[in-house]
C-alpha cells in the first residue's frame, strides 16, 4: 500500500482487528476492546490515514434530535490534529446517518 492521505474510520468489529499480532507487526498499532460491557460503553472507531493509524474516535448518534456527537477524539500524532481528511470522514459518517448537526464535546 502506498502512502496516501485517504482516511477511513474503522469499527472495532472489523476483521482487520481480529489478529492483533498482524496489526502490531504491519501497522505498529494495538487495540483493546471490551465487547460486552454495560450500557454507555465506548465504541471507538480507529482512524486510519493512509497506512498509519493516528488515533480513535468515540461517537454516537442521537436519533431523536438528529445530532451526531463526538464524545471523544484522541489523535496520537499532533500532526493530524486538524487534518482535513479526518474532518471530512466524520462529516461523511454523520451524513450517512442523516445527522442535521455535528457536536464535538471537549
Amino acid at each position: 500500500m502506498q502512502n496516501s492521505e485517504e482516511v477511513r474510520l474503522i469499527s472495532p468489529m472489523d476483521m482487520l482487528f481480529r489478529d492483533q499480532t498482524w496489526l502490531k507487526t504491519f501497522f505498529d498499532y494495538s487495540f483493546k476492546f471490551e465487547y460486552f460491557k454495560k450500557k454507555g460503553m465506548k465504541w471507538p472507531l480507529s482512524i486510519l490515514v493512509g497506512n498509519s493509524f493516528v488515533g480513535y474516535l468515540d461517537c454516537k448518534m442521537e436519533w431523536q434530535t438528529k445530532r451526531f456527537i463526538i464524545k471523544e477524539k484522541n489523535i496520537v500524532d499532533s500532526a493530524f490534529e486538524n487534518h482535513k481528511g479526518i474532518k471530512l470522514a466524520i462529516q461523511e459518517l454523520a451524513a450517512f446517518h442523516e445527522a442535521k448537526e455535528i457536536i464535538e464535546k471537549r
Side-chain angles (χ1 to χ4, degrees), residues 12-30:
M13 298 302 283
D14 193 282
M15 291 299 293
L16 181 65
F17 295 116
R18 296 283 183 193
D19 187 345
Q20 291 290 315
T21 304
W22 181 87
L23 192 60
K24 183 71 175 164
T25 300
F26 289 102
F27 289 98
D28 192 26
Y29 186 71
S30 61

Side-chain angles (χ1 to χ4, degrees), residues 65-78:
T65 61
K66 295 286 191 179
R67 297 185 321 169
F68 186 83
I69 299 174
I70 300 170
K71 298 187 292 185
E72 182 180 357
K73 183 167 77 172
N74 187 346
I75 305 294
V76 294
D77 184 344
S78 61

Side-chain angles (χ1 to χ4, degrees), residues 5-73:
E5 289 296 311
E6 189 170 345
V7 176
R8 294 287 181 240
L9 303 176
I10 303 175
S11 163
M13 298 302 283
D14 193 282
M15 291 299 293
L16 181 65
F17 295 116
R18 296 283 183 193
D19 187 345
Q20 291 290 315
T21 304
W22 181 87
L23 192 60
K24 183 71 175 164
T25 300
F26 289 102
F27 289 98
D28 192 26
Y29 186 71
S30 61
F31 186 86
K32 296 197 186 268
F33 179 70
E34 178 79 29
Y35 288 99
F36 301 102
K37 286 179 84 178
K38 295 180 182 177
K39 187 176 179 177
M41 67 184 267
K42 286 186 177 184
W43 190 268
L45 302 175
S46 293
I47 303 169
L48 179 65
V49 178
N51 57 7
S52 299
F53 283 98
V54 300
Y56 68 87
L57 180 73
D58 185 23
C59 53
K60 73 175 185 175
M61 179 66 191
E62 284 187 348
W63 297 105
Q64 293 163 337
T65 61
K66 295 286 191 179
R67 297 185 321 169
F68 186 83
I69 299 174
I70 300 170
K71 298 187 292 185
E72 182 180 357
K73 183 167 77 172

Side-chain angles (χ1 to χ4, degrees), residues 84-102:
K84 291 179 184 175
I86 295 173
K87 289 181 181 181
L88 180 59
I90 292 169
Q91 290 171 349
E92 289 174 352
L93 181 59
F96 174 80
H97 291 294
E98 299 177 356
K100 303 283 185 206
E101 172 180 29
I102 299 173

